[in-house]
Structure formats: C-alpha cells, structure tokens
Amino acid sequence: MPRFLRNLPDPALRLVIVAAVVIGTVVVVYRALPASFRDPDRNIQATIEREAGKPIRYAGATMCATCHEEQAAKKQAGYHRDISCETCHGPGEAHVESPGDVKPPAPRDRRFCPACHAFDPSRPMGFPQINPVTHNPMKACIECHNAHDPKPPTVPGECAACHAEIERTKSLSPHALLTCTTCHEVPEQHKITPRTVDASKPRGREFCGQCHSVESKVTGPPKVDLAEHQVKYVCWQCHYPHMPEVQR
Amino acid sequence: MNRRRFLQQLASWLVSLGGVGAIAGRQSATASVPEHPETKRFGMAIDVDKCIGCARCMEACKTENAVPPEPFFFRTWVERYVIKEDGEAVVSSLGAPTGQHMEVAEEKDRLRSFFVPKLCNQCEHPPCVQVCPVRATFKTPEGVVLVDSTRCIGCRYCIQACPYGARYLHPETKTADKCTFCYQRVTKELLPACVEVCPTQARIFGDTSTPASPLERVRRMNKIHVLKAHLNTDPKVIYANLDGEVR
Amino acid sequence: MMAETVERLSEVAKQVTGYVYPNDVEVQWSILIVLYPYLTGLVAGAFILASLVKVFNVKAVEPTYRLALLTALAFLLVAPIPLQAHLGHPERAFWIFLAPNPTSAMAMFGFVYAWYLMVVLLLEIWFVYRKDMVLYARQTRAPLRWVYKVLSLFSRDVSEPALQFDKKMVKGITIIGIPSAFLLHGYVGFIFGSVKANPWWSSVLMPIVFLFSAIVSGIALVLLLYMIITPTRGEKIDMPCLDTMASYLFYAVIVDFSLECLDFVHRLYESEESIKILSALVFNKLIVSLLVMQVLLGMIVPFLIMVIIKLWNIDEELRKLLYFVSAILIQVGIFSTRWNVVIGGQMFSKSFRGLTAYKMELGGIEGLFVAVAFLVLPFVVLWVLTKLLPPWGKPEEATAPAAS
C-alpha cells in the first residue's frame, strides 16, 4: 500500500490525505455518537411509548355505568341504547378521575338534538328526523323525550317522522295527495320497533294498474295498456313511486 | 500490491457495502420492533349506510387528540355526497369552509345522497412511510402508522405522498400529524374517540388478529371496498356500501 | 405564528372551487421548493456544457469552460438553503444523513448531492485550477496567499507530469460527472415522479423531462453570463463559441420540447380519470404560467428564433441580441416549468374534484423577498468565485487578484 501511495502524483496524494481525513472524521464522529443515536429504531420504540402515554379524554362507554347504573339501565332499554353516554355528554375521563370536581354537561338546549335529528336529505332512510323549526317550537326536546329513553310521547302518526326524505320528495310529485298507506300496509309494530317489522310494498304491475291501467275506472292518472307497455319490467323499475316522472 | 489490485478491491468493497446497505434498509423500512405472537392487528370498518353526518366523530377526535380547532386541520372528517339525476356528484365537507353548502340540490334533482367518513386509512403499504426521509413516520406492530414528532423535520413529503389527504402539518409543532387510531386509547382496550361517540355504529373498530372481532359481520355481510384500491396501498380502513362516486 | 397560518388559509379557502379535502386547502410546498429544482437544474446544465469541452472535445466552447464550472458550483452551494429554510424543523435536518430512510428518494438524494458536490464538482474544479492556485499563491501576499495555499492543499508541483496528471483527472472526473449530473437532476425528477398519489407528478417521464429542461436552462444561463461578463471585461465575445453554445441549446430545446409534447399527447390520449381535474387545473389556474410563460414564451418563441438563425444568415449584432432574448425567455420558461410542476401539482385536491389556491406572501421566510434573495445569492457567490479563481486569462501573464 505505501508503495502505491508513493507512486501517486503529488496532487493525488494530497487529495487522498484530505479524503482520508474527511472520511476519518466522519467515522470518528459517527462512532462517538451515543449508540442510541445510531440505532435507527430507537425513535420507533420511544414514539410508541410516547403516543401510548398521551392523555385520554373520553372514558369509554362502559365506564359510566359503574356509577350511573340507573341511567345506564334506562338507556339500555330504549332507542338510544347503542349511543355512548359521551356522545351527548362529552368527554368524561376528567369526571371519572375526580367525580366531585368535574361534571360533564347535560345538554338541555333545543339546539343540541337537531345535530342528529334535524332533517337532512343525506341521512339514511328510516332515521328519525324532524324539522326543528316546526316541531313543537316552544318546547325543549327533553320535555317530551327523555334523552335516555327517547320514546316519543305518542306513536308517530305520520310516516314522515322517520321517512322525511320520502315525504318531502313525494310532496312535490304527482303522488303528493296519496297517503303512504295507499300503497304500503303498515303494521302498528313497525311504528314502535321499526327494524323488527317492515311495512309491505306492492307486488306486481297490477297494483299500479289499479289506477294506471287503461281498464281502470279511476279518473285523473295517466293510463297505460299494461298488456303492451314494457311487459318485462315491474313499474317501479323505471318510475320511482315517490317521484314518478316519466323517464326523460 | 499495485494500484490496479487496490482499486479492484476497493470497488468490490463498495459494491458489497451498498448491497448490504440496501437489503438492511429494505427490511427496516417498516416497523422493525419484533412482532410477538399476541400482537394485535387493528382495523376499522365504515358502514356508509349508517352515517347520519352528525359530526360527533370530528368533534371527539379534535377534543381527544388536541387537534387545532380551525377547519384546515383534520384527522378525520365527514364528506357529503349528493348525486343528482344527471349523474353529477356534488361533494362537500362537514365543518370545513370548502365545497358547496348544505342544501345542494332540490328534492327532484337528488338521486342518491349519503355521508362518508374519512380518516387515515392506516395502509399496510403506506406511501407516507416509504417517502419519509428520516423515518419519522413508521408502522407499529399493530399496523398503526405513527409520526414521531420529535424526529419529523417538517419536509411535508409524507403529506404529498398520502393519496387520501389524511395528513396535515400541525401549525404549532410544525410536524406532520394524522389520525393514529387514538393509539393512546386502543393500546388500553378502549375504542378510538370517533368510534366511541358515533351514535349509529357507522364506524366499527376491532382487532382482526382474533377470529371473532367486531369487524367479522361487516366483512361477511357486505360488499367491501377500500379507497383508491388501484394505488395498492392496502388500507386497513374498509368501507361497506361505498358508492362508486366516492374518491 | 399559528394565527398567521390560519389567517392565510382562511383567505385561501375563499378561492377554493369544487370539493377539496379539508387538509388539501393548504399548499404545502411553497416557492422555496420551486427554487430548488430550478437552481439544481442550472447546476446540471452548466456542468453538461462544461463536459462538452472535456469529454466530447467541443473546442469551440472552451472559453466558457471554467465559467460553467464556477457557475455550477455557485448554484450548487446555494441550492440547499431554500430547502433548509422551508423545513418545519431545519435544526433536525442532520437526521437525513444520520438515519436516512433508504426507501425515501429525498433521503437518498442527500447522498447523491454530497457525492456530486464533493467527488465531482469540487474535485474537478480543484484539478482545473490547481496550477493557477499554486501560481497565485506565489504572486500574492498574505492573507490571500494563505487562502490559495490552503485551497491548493499546499501543493507546489507545477511540473509537466503533474499538469498532465491534472488533465487526465479532469477528463476522468468529467466522465464520471456526466452520469452524476444526470443523476443529480434526474433524482429531483424522481422525487416528484414517484409520488403515485399525485397524477400531475406521477410519471415515468418526470426525471427525463426535469433533466432536459435542466440542460436547457443551464446552457442558457452560461450563455447569458458569458454575453454579459465578456463586454464588461473589455473583451470581445467569441462568436463561434456563442454560436456553438446556441447550437447545443437548440438541440436541447428540441429534445425538451419533444418530451413535453409527448407528455401532453400521452395524457390526452390515455385520458385517465385525472384528466378532468388536470384540465381544470391548466385552464383555470395555469393559463399564464403554463400556456403563456412555459410553452409560448419559454419554448416556442426561443425555438422559432433559433430556427430562424439556423436557416437564415443573420448578422452578428442581431444574432447576439436574439441569443440574449432567447436565453432570458428560456430562464423565464424553465422557472415557470418548475412552478407549474411544484405549485401546479398542489393546486388540485386529491379528491380530484376541486382546486385550491397558492397565496404567496411578500415577507416571511417563504415569501417573495426571500425567494428573490435566493435567486440573487448564487450570482453573488459566483462573483466571489470569479474574483478568487478567475475563469479567464493566464496567471503567469496577468497580475493576480489584489488582496481584498
């Protein structure tokens, strides 16, 4: 090796020395760093621990029942059984840690419940919705609905209580003056536990034909010869019954 | 030894160093904390048909994780889609000053309408982890992608690389931030805050390493989608009943 | 600090159109990140011009050889500064070297940059100037004398064999340097081109387009510098040199333009899902910066000018004017190209349904004034370098630079 260096031209030799010094410095500094610095995974373990140790603000659904058994039991039987206490009462961990000092708020204002229950066209079908402006405007929601068992004081008479989107759509359509029960048979149980019992839907073209067939005696609705018109399909494939515009 | 032999040896050393470095690097690119047999695998399912767009999840997330309250920084958010009769999709975001507002279309025009919660998809092949120059972001053994805010240099490459818009630069710490599945909660057998407060169980969270997890039924009974599947990020957040218009 | 951010974003939010993911309102990479590929592009281009002399024996551009090297060095020294300034935590930047992520193009690029700076550029300049530095050391007084002694690593050998060795090394380093320069700027293209989340960036062509636009801008810059500096020194512009540089510039422009056309045609033809939002991006946000500045002024007009010069006999004075104008337009065009890539790529949301806006401040670390300062700084560094290591004249003839 030394002979090779001696044979190098002078400039190259100087560069080799400089390079050796630079690389040597880098190596020495690198090794001088604490071993933990050089470990690529050191920060991973530290971060995992740091993240796992961050403060918790929501206590979790099961915590509240340990002290508030009565409310929990009441909620368990009603429509709000699947909602966490903290969904309405806000973060509760501080209260769990010092129950005497910190009290989560209990929403009483009329403006709170519409966050979920105000009519919104994008809400899924069958979700109970009201128009906050017209629905008992002078009363607080909790006057008629106990938040832990929010059964309405009376069984809803109107289908619109849960099927608001359909009601609104239908009200702008030629079927506006038809009641829901014209086409749907609604067992009483459906209004109490909607998901256990369904309302019926019409079967077959003849149902619509009661009004819309050329043989029908009903005056007013557009008529069609059911024997000829799109025989392969049922009516509602093309005509949405709640807004039965003729296809463009 | 002459110059040629010296150079040859040097070259072979460099090549093997490079090769070793590349292989070692590849293996430690993702989590290198050793996996235990009892390590959990966290996942979330979102049933789009159940979301009522109440935004409780957005509030809870900001409260639980001290996310800045301004509407430009979200670990999770909810989108509203209204698909009109002519097929056009109108999209907006709850609580954010972007997109069109609530009453977007008349009843006659509305064909389909629904809410879609969004969050970090905790990808199995996260592009954000791939591009971070200092390994500040990484995947834990449970599959959660975390950010080391003491290592992050704030270069924002991960934010560019995320296809889902799930990341943001925290305006105070100047480091990248995102949903962590509420890591401080799920490691204590609690649910993420957004799942905790969802009133309709639109968000379902579970440990998929066990055969009986809360995700079982969702995965069995529904057609399951993931967002931007063509990018092969392999998200651990799956969507049931996702409409084709959702990006 | 946060209040300013929020205020800025509230302003930006008013200009959002369509649907943008909430986190996508903020444009993450600012003008400082536009500067970076522009500056490193000039480095690569200037170096390629220099390599024409040493590797491809294009003797005509020899007068610009040393100038091109110094230009490359000046820009290479300044380029990382805007990157550092942009970081949320610049004090932690050393982690890129200490614990780099091997899958991250950004991390690996730090090493490519260091390699290019130290093993290619500094080494080549050292060998090119070693004899001059030795001679200057003899001719000057302290303290400048010590500067030259240190720079030359205290070498004193200017014998013929040593000078021959210098020449051989220069050629060898340039040969390594060409792919290194390609790697330097191609890598920047890869940093963008490998982001699958962003359809404006994600492309196989990105590194190639970046490289060729770098070559175009680098050659144009050296041409400009040569045209400006030479008369101020009282020398006559070497027309064959200028014409040859312009020729190579012309060839580079042809390739660059073809690549951009290819990208454009390919996108339109395949018409993937992102075409709608990208068209909206171009026609709503990038009309001036892309259609006018990048394509028309930055590419088509210089191209036509050079075609005219090639086809017709233009007299010397007019030619010089046309070269000057073309080179300026090209700088504007390539800067716009970088802008359109970096800023353009962030002005549409990953939702593919909306556009946001980039609000560039005047003050502040990421504002216009700082950006202009970073554009001016390399020229200041270049001035210092030309004073220390004059790229022209022979040291044994002229007097060495006075101690300053």
Side-chain angles (χ1 to χ4, degrees):
Chain A
M1 193 79 110
R3 196 177 63 172
F4 159 68
L5 282 179
R6 259 183 272 134
N7 283 345
L8 270 182
D10 174 75
L13 183 59
R14 291 173 193 276
L15 281 175
V16 166
I17 293 172
V18 169
V21 168
V22 168
I23 292 174
T25 314
V26 167
V27 169
V28 163
V29 168
Y30 187 72
R31 287 192 181 278
L33 289 170
S36 56
F37 251 69
R38 286 182 271 133
D39 175 12
D41 302 319
R42 164 184 161 269
N43 69 310
I44 287 179
Q45 197 48 42
T47 305
I48 287 179
E49 280 158 28
R50 191 174 52 246
E51 285 288 326
K54 283 192 170 166
I56 290 182
R57 303 197 166 94
Y58 283 84
T62 48
M63 281 306 287
C64 314
T66 48
C67 296
H68 300 275
E69 289 166 1
E70 197 194 306
Q71 287 89 333
K74 186 162 191 170
K75 188 163 75 68
Q76 218 30 50
Y79 291 123
H80 277 180
R81 71 179 75 84
D82 288 328
I83 303 180
S84 297
C85 314
E86 289 170 305
T87 305
C88 298
H89 291 286
E93 182 66 18
H95 174 68
V96 166
E97 276 161 23
S98 48
D101 302 321
V102 183
K103 304 281 190 198
R108 303 212 135 85
D109 196 293
R110 234 187 110 76
R111 284 168 295 189
F112 185 82
C113 310
C116 290
H117 288 289
F119 171 72
D120 187 311
S122 307
R123 292 194 153 137
M125 169 147 69
F127 188 76
Q129 299 166 66
I130 45 98
N131 182 342
V133 174
T134 57
H135 183 81
N136 298 315
M138 300 315 289
K139 292 181 171 179
C141 313
I142 53 176
E143 271 186 57
C144 303
H145 304 272
N146 181 311
H148 297 138
D149 184 8
K151 208 162 52 179
T154 54
V155 170
E158 305 290 325
C159 307
C162 292
H163 298 280
E165 171 71 355
I166 293 177
E167 178 67 37
R168 287 185 173 211
T169 310
K170 185 166 77 67
S171 67
L172 296 172
S173 79
H175 280 179
L177 297 178
L178 298 178
T179 61
C180 307
T181 45
T182 309
C183 304
H184 302 282
E185 284 169 27
V186 185
E188 197 59 22
Q189 190 61 28
H190 178 74
K191 297 180 194 172
I192 301 167
T193 52
R195 291 187 200 268
T196 57
V197 177
D198 261 336
S200 77
K201 294 181 184 177
R203 284 203 188 134
R205 299 154 57 90
E206 308 72 39
F207 186 89
C208 307
Q210 288 170 82
C211 295
H212 290 284
S213 165
V214 287
E215 287 125 16
S216 160
K217 301 284 185 292
V218 178
T219 53
K223 300 289 180 64
V224 101
D225 183 1
L226 284 182
E228 302 282 322
H229 178 76
Q230 302 287 5
V231 175
K232 192 169 157 63
Y233 303 102
V234 285
C235 314
W236 45 91
Q237 187 129 13
C238 305
H239 305 277
Y240 180 47
H242 304 136
M243 176 70 82
E245 309 292 355
V246 173
Q247 285 301 306
R248 288 174 267 284
Chain B
M1 162 156 19
N2 66 19
R3 192 188 312 178
R4 173 177 295 188
R5 291 269 338 258
F6 173 70
L7 286 171
Q8 278 173 346
Q9 287 224 356
L10 184 66
S12 61
W13 265 105
L14 285 172
V15 166
S16 42
L17 265 176
V20 166
I23 294 169
R26 195 86 199 87
Q27 282 172 344
S28 57
T30 51
S32 38
V33 180
E35 300 206 12
H36 301 292
E38 62 271 14
T39 302
K40 307 186 178 193
R41 299 293 292 173
F42 292 132
M44 187 184 287
I46 300 203
D47 189 343
V48 174
D49 280 350
K50 296 213 174 115
C51 179
I52 58 171
C54 64
R56 290 278 98 97
C57 51
M58 289 165 63
E59 275 174 45
C61 172
K62 289 216 177 198
T63 306
E64 177 74 22
N65 296 293
V67 179
E70 285 78 10
F72 308 107
F73 316 106
F74 289 94
R75 291 189 172 199
T76 185
W77 67 98
V78 178
E79 296 175 353
R80 174 208 292 273
Y81 285 74
V82 176
I83 288 104
K84 305 201 315 194
E85 273 284 341
D86 60 9
E88 184 201 336
V90 177
V91 190
S92 58
S93 209
L94 297 185
T98 63
Q100 292 92 331
H101 282 292
M102 295 279 272
E103 293 305 314
V104 283
E106 297 175 6
E107 283 81 357
K108 278 207 289 272
D109 251 346
R110 289 195 290 260
L111 192 58
R112 303 192 300 282
S113 187
F114 47 89
F115 294 102
V116 182
K118 293 280 193 77
L119 67 163
C120 166
N121 283 223
Q122 310 287 354
C123 307
E124 197 56 31
H125 306 133
C128 55
V129 170
Q130 191 182 19
V131 300
C132 176
V134 292
R135 271 196 272 203
T137 190
F138 59 92
K139 213 166 45 141
T140 71
E142 301 95 345
V144 180
V145 179
L146 294 179
V147 178
D148 180 355
S149 53
T150 62
R151 174 69 67 91
C152 174
I153 62 176
C155 73
R156 313 197 198 205
Y157 201 7
C158 59
I159 304 176
Q160 303 288 2
C162 175
Y164 306 108
R167 285 173 169 260
Y168 59 92
L169 194 83
H170 197 294
E172 279 159 8
T173 65
K174 296 272 178 252
T175 55
D177 201 39
K178 68 175 199 67
C179 161
T180 58
F181 267 178
C182 284
Y183 198 70
Q184 70 275 16
R185 300 179 62 84
V186 300
T187 45
K188 297 188 183 72
E189 316 277 323
L190 293 171
L191 293 174
C194 57
V195 179
E196 185 67 49
V197 300
C198 177
T200 54
Q201 273 82 61
R203 295 177 185 248
I204 306 131
F205 183 83
D207 170 14
T208 55
S209 69
T210 66
S213 80
L215 296 169
E216 260 308 294
R217 186 172 178 82
V218 165
R219 293 169 67 224
R220 180 182 291 277
M221 296 304 202
N222 296 294
K223 301 282 188 295
I224 298 294
H225 304 252
V226 293
L227 296 175
K228 308 212 183 191
H230 61 282
L231 293 182
N232 196 31
T233 56
D234 208 355
K236 289 198 282 296
V237 172
I238 59 179
Y239 284 81
N241 306 310
L242 190 72
D243 192 282
E245 285 290 338
V246 178
R247 291 286 169 276
Chain C
M1 191 62 229
M2 167 143 152
E4 288 165 21
T5 309
V6 171
E7 202 191 305
R8 181 170 47 88
L9 291 176
S10 306
E11 284 301 311
V12 171
K14 293 184 194 149
Q15 298 178 51
V16 166
T17 56
Y19 175 63
V20 159
Y21 288 152
N23 290 329
D24 276 354
V25 173
E26 183 175 6
V27 168
Q28 304 289 340
W29 283 349
S30 67
I31 187 161
L32 293 181
I33 308 298
V34 173
L35 276 184
Y36 178 73
Y38 181 65
L39 297 176
T40 52
L42 294 171
V43 171
F47 186 85
I48 298 294
L49 179 65
S51 69
L52 286 174
V53 176
K54 289 298 167 187
V55 176
F56 299 103
N57 290 319
V58 181
K59 288 273 177 278
V61 295
E62 176 100 43
T64 58
Y65 173 69
R66 288 185 170 198
L67 179 64
L69 283 182
L70 291 185
T71 307
L73 181 63
F75 280 81
L76 196 65
L77 289 174
V78 173
I81 305 180
L83 285 189
Q84 281 285 104
H86 166 79
L87 289 179
H89 285 273
E91 76 280 3
R92 295 181 195 167
F94 65 90
W95 281 112
I96 290 190
F97 289 104
L98 204 57
N101 182 359
T103 61
S104 167
M106 197 181 276
M108 293 299 101
F109 184 71
F111 295 100
V112 171
Y113 203 90
W115 159 270
Y116 186 81
L117 176 66
M118 294 192 298
V119 179
V120 176
L121 201 56
L122 281 179
L123 210 55
E124 175 155 349
I125 290 178
W126 192 78
F127 276 110
V128 166
Y129 275 98
R130 192 187 64 84
K131 176 185 140 202
D132 298 42
M133 291 192 283
V134 172
L135 292 175
Y136 288 146
R138 288 185 200 160
Q139 291 165 5
T140 55
R141 288 194 304 270
L144 200 55
R145 174 178 218 147
W146 285 101
V147 173
Y148 285 119
K149 278 189 178 258
V150 168
L151 281 178
S152 64
L153 299 180
F154 295 95
S155 85
R156 273 178 288 196
D157 187 357
V158 287
S159 65
E160 202 45 41
L163 296 181
Q164 284 304 321
F165 181 73
D166 287 347
K167 277 201 176 54
K168 253 193 345 189
M169 286 302 286
V170 166
K171 181 156 188 169
I173 294 170
T174 314
I175 291 177
I176 301 175
I178 295 176
S180 300
F182 276 35
L183 195 63
L184 184 80
H185 208 61
Y187 222 117
V188 179
F190 186 79
I191 286 178
F192 289 94
S194 61
V195 178
K196 63 186 172 186
N198 191 322
W200 189 237
W201 293 346
S202 174
S203 164
V204 162
L205 276 181
M206 190 64 88
I208 320 281
V209 169
F210 259 60
L211 180 59
F212 276 93
S213 46
I215 294 175
V216 166
S217 65
I219 296 179
L221 178 69
V222 178
L223 191 148
L224 268 176
L225 285 171
Y226 181 68
M227 285 188 78
I228 294 172
I229 296 177
T230 312
T232 60
R233 287 181 44 235
E235 297 280 323
K236 193 169 176 344
I237 290 179
D238 182 339
M239 278 319 282
C241 173
L242 208 60
D243 288 323
T244 312
M245 271 201 285
S247 279
Y248 280 100
L249 182 60
F250 180 53
Y251 307 143
V253 167
I254 292 176
V255 176
D256 190 31
F257 192 39
S258 312
L259 287 169
E260 303 244 358
C261 288
L262 177 64
D263 183 66
F264 177 67
V265 168
H266 190 256
R267 275 186 204 275
L268 274 186
Y269 188 87
E270 283 205 345
S271 212
E272 282 189 317
E273 183 191 357
S274 53
I275 195 77
K276 285 203 203 95
I277 191 65
L278 294 181
S279 305
L281 172 72
V282 170
F283 289 108
N284 288 318
K285 301 278 179 185
L286 301 180
I287 287 190
V288 172
S289 61
L290 198 145
L291 299 178
V292 176
M293 288 169 66
Q294 174 179 332
V295 177
L296 184 66
L297 294 180
M299 226 160 254
I300 295 183
V301 169
F303 177 73
L304 289 176
I305 290 178
M306 287 189 269
V307 164
I308 289 172
I309 293 178
K310 285 269 179 208
L311 289 182
W312 283 280
N313 228 339
I314 313 278
D315 83 299
E316 188 178 299
E317 283 309 309
L318 182 58
R319 259 197 349 265
K320 281 199 274 192
L321 177 66
L322 289 175
Y323 287 152
F324 192 80
V325 166
S326 301
I328 298 258
L329 286 177
I330 282 175
Q331 295 305 325
V332 168
I334 300 298
F335 188 84
S336 303
T337 307
R338 306 303 181 222
W339 175 279
N340 294 324
V341 169
V342 176
I343 305 291
Q346 300 173 84
M347 287 218 272
F348 69 97
S349 170
K350 305 239 174 41
S351 70
F352 289 13
R353 289 184 196 274
L355 302 173
T356 181
Y358 173 51
K359 189 169 177 291
M360 179 167 58
E361 303 151 318
L362 285 179
I365 189 76
E366 305 211 51
L368 182 63
F369 295 148
V370 169
V372 169
F374 283 134
L375 274 173
V376 168
L377 186 59
F379 293 102
V380 173
V381 174
L382 181 62
W383 181 81
V384 171
L385 286 174
T386 54
K387 281 274 168 280
L388 197 60
L389 302 170
W392 32 70
K394 305 251 173 267
E396 348 30 298
E397 298 164 357
T399 50
S404 50

